[in-house]
Amino acid sequence: MEAMEALPKEETLQLRQKHYGPSCKLFFKENPIKIVRAEGQYMYDEQGNQYLDCINNVAHVGHCHPTVVKACTEQMSLLNTNSRFLHDNLVTYAKRLTATLPDKLSVCYFVNSGSEANDLALRLARTYTGNYDVVVMDNGYHGHVSSLIDISPYKFNHTGGEGQKPFVHLVPVPDVYRGLYRENVPDVGEKYAMEVKHTIDAARRQGRKIAAFICESLQSCGGQIIPPHGYLREVYKHMREAGAVCIADEVQVGFGRVGSHFWAFQAVDDEACPDIVCMGKPIGNGHPMSAVVTTPEIAEAFGATGMEYFNTFGGNPVSCAIGLAVMDVIDKEDLMGNASRVGNYLMEGFRKLGEKHDMIGDVRGLGFFIGVDLVKDKKSREPATVEAQHIIYRMKESFILLSTDGPHRNVLKLKGPMCFTTKDADRVLVNLDQVLTEIESARTRKHALLPAKVEAASSNNTLEHAVCSYRKDVHSKRSGPIFTGSHTLSHDALFGNTKRPTDNDSDDDEAKRQKTWAGVD
């Protein structure tokens, strides 16, 4: 199926610049991509080029999955209305969703975005406790509405932000690679949790009362951080002793992405159970929907205020049909198992590349939630920010979509559609190997890649200039063309005789999967 391009790319770009808010950024300021269709883990531009999507965790079960599309169109052709009417889809979905969670988490609210979910979670926590203050993790991000910008250091501590409000209390990121306590510290999870206790105690001395602790179960924008074992369990204990509730922001990482468990908080610590769980992004596979699940006690306190909670689109029959379809696909296609197999395979591959390339400082992740921390020097762990931006542009030239995150923008993040295969993984690994080799070759020739004053700069404009200069220099040092398709890849070149997982990735299975996407029996 070929998608038609309604407007030439240049006209599309000009109209966007004229009519769309300038604070809404594009991927790739230099020659942005115009996407016209997608399927599975692939996206296609107006010229028919296929891009391997490593970043869209929203298209959780694969772009335009036929099961999800069918559920949407069939229900839309029958009815879409609000939750003030009885409908089987709402209660069926609520029952199925809560069945994936600990028993005490049994009451749902359906909303439309991760931001709405986290905003509602704050209301629930503040109503239940009667308190207002919030404890948050440094570098955290929880949404774009005003209430969430206020509790998101990723926003309020950076360009355009208003800084930390008095009711917000920051705790250190439990980062064992760059943080306060590192990988060689005994009981590192408990030590990071004690930092939270110290923060609670300091707030109490100031007469502050804490309503909630909110954190992503795995920090995403902060650099793909995996908390050490015991951290969440101990933090939740300290927060409850202070009379606060615990909110797990699973907007980025839920619905089986970690492979071993349906929810990331379960994978991090099987003894940690939040009081409120917020869901979004993957829940609808691209359809705008989200959810908050909490305990009966918290829900009853919220209802006891007498104020009705109504959301025009939350819990509508179409959204619930889509949500059910997404869960069907996760189960039927064993996407959690695939996340484990492919994610572990990718991380093994990145670590092998790290033995060859000093720029790979750390590889971390769970399932198909992976971060590759790039450094200028393994000993100092100085972030390789400019190099990371160069890498994502070079991978784009090979039709692979990557992005970076973390406070230094030096962490390559991979959290693409869960139907990703080991062949796709090989393609990423071999291309990254070549790009890193190019960079190291330029360095070996003792060529000054960046002036020191540019390398030290931190503003976005200066960074973009630095990346442009860097890219021009390294481009001139290329030894040859980079691999661009799966048929050119050499798995053996990376792994010798190591076999890739075969459960989900035989040629026959791949052919069948492609037929499914194409609607061929």
Side-chain angles (χ1 to χ4, degrees), residues 428-473:
V428 172
L429 292 166
V430 174
N431 277 272
L432 181 59
D433 182 25
Q434 173 115 5
V435 175
L436 292 172
T437 299
E438 290 174 2
I439 294 172
E440 290 165 357
S441 176
R443 285 179 170 176
T444 301
R445 295 170 190 177
K446 298 181 179 180
H447 190 88
L449 295 178
L450 289 172
K453 63 181 180 180
V454 174
E455 198 166 358
S458 59
S459 73
N460 286 337
N461 288 339
T462 305
L463 177 59
E464 289 170 1
H465 174 74
V467 172
C468 183
S469 300
Y470 188 103
R471 284 172 44 69
K472 286 178 180 177
D473 188 279

Side-chain angles (χ1 to χ4, degrees), residues 282-500:
I283 191 173
N285 208 55
H287 178 78
M289 59 184 290
S290 60
V292 178
V293 182
T294 190
T295 66
E297 295 78 14
I298 292 174
E300 286 164 10
F302 191 58
T305 65
M307 181 184 291
E308 179 190 14
Y309 181 78
F310 173 68
N311 190 300
T312 302
F313 298 106
N316 70 73
V318 171
S319 293
C320 291
I322 289 170
L324 286 163
V326 169
M327 296 185 77
D328 284 342
V329 176
I330 292 171
D331 289 343
K332 291 178 181 177
E333 298 187 6
D334 187 28
L335 293 184
M336 289 175 63
N338 192 58
S340 290
R341 288 186 293 272
V342 176
N344 290 338
Y345 181 80
L346 264 169
M347 285 188 280
E348 177 192 3
F350 287 131
R351 289 181 180 123
K352 285 184 179 291
L353 288 182
E355 295 171 5
K356 178 180 178 182
H357 301 288
D358 287 342
M359 196 178 295
I360 294 180
D362 187 42
V363 177
R364 50 187 178 256
L366 288 174
F368 197 23
F369 178 88
I370 300 169
V372 181
D373 199 309
L374 300 176
V375 297
K376 292 179 181 294
D377 176 79
K378 281 192 174 181
K379 186 176 180 180
S380 70
R381 303 186 182 184
E382 180 184 354
T385 299
V386 175
E387 293 88 341
Q389 307 313 306
H390 168 76
I391 286 168
I392 63 172
Y393 270 94
R394 282 290 285 119
M395 297 294 273
K396 172 203 168 193
E397 291 170 7
S398 300
F399 306 103
I400 297 173
L401 300 180
L402 283 175
S403 64
T404 59
D405 231 321
H408 308 289
R409 292 176 62 188
N410 69 305
V411 180
L412 299 179
K413 59 180 180 180
L414 291 94
K415 49 182 179 177
M418 299 263 282
C419 50
F420 216 82
T421 69
T422 50
K423 291 179 182 177
D424 298 321
D426 281 342
R427 181 174 167 188
V428 172
L429 292 166
V430 174
N431 277 272
L432 181 59
D433 182 25
Q434 173 115 5
V435 175
L436 292 172
T437 299
E438 290 174 2
I439 294 172
E440 290 165 357
S441 176
R443 285 179 170 176
T444 301
R445 295 170 190 177
K446 298 181 179 180
H447 190 88
L449 295 178
L450 289 172
K453 63 181 180 180
V454 174
E455 198 166 358
S458 59
S459 73
N460 286 337
N461 288 339
T462 305
L463 177 59
E464 289 170 1
H465 174 74
V467 172
C468 183
S469 300
Y470 188 103
R471 284 172 44 69
K472 286 178 180 177
D473 188 279
V474 178
H475 269 258
S476 70
K477 306 286 187 297
R478 287 190 197 171
S479 58
I482 197 165
F483 298 107
T484 58
S486 59
H487 294 295
T488 65
L489 301 184
S490 171
H491 170 270
D492 292 342
L494 282 174
F495 300 106
N497 294 323
T498 303
K499 292 183 178 179
R500 53 159 83 94

Side-chain angles (χ1 to χ4, degrees), residues 246-294:
C246 303
I247 303 170
D249 181 346
E250 293 265 340
V251 169
Q252 298 261 17
V253 296
F255 290 87
R257 176 160 294 279
V258 296
S260 60
H261 296 75
F262 205 79
W263 303 106
F265 71 83
Q266 298 167 323
V268 170
D269 196 328
D270 55 11
E271 296 180 48
C273 181
D275 305 297
I276 303 172
V277 179
C278 300
M279 310 163 188
K281 294 189 188 300
I283 191 173
N285 208 55
H287 178 78
M289 59 184 290
S290 60
V292 178
V293 182
T294 190

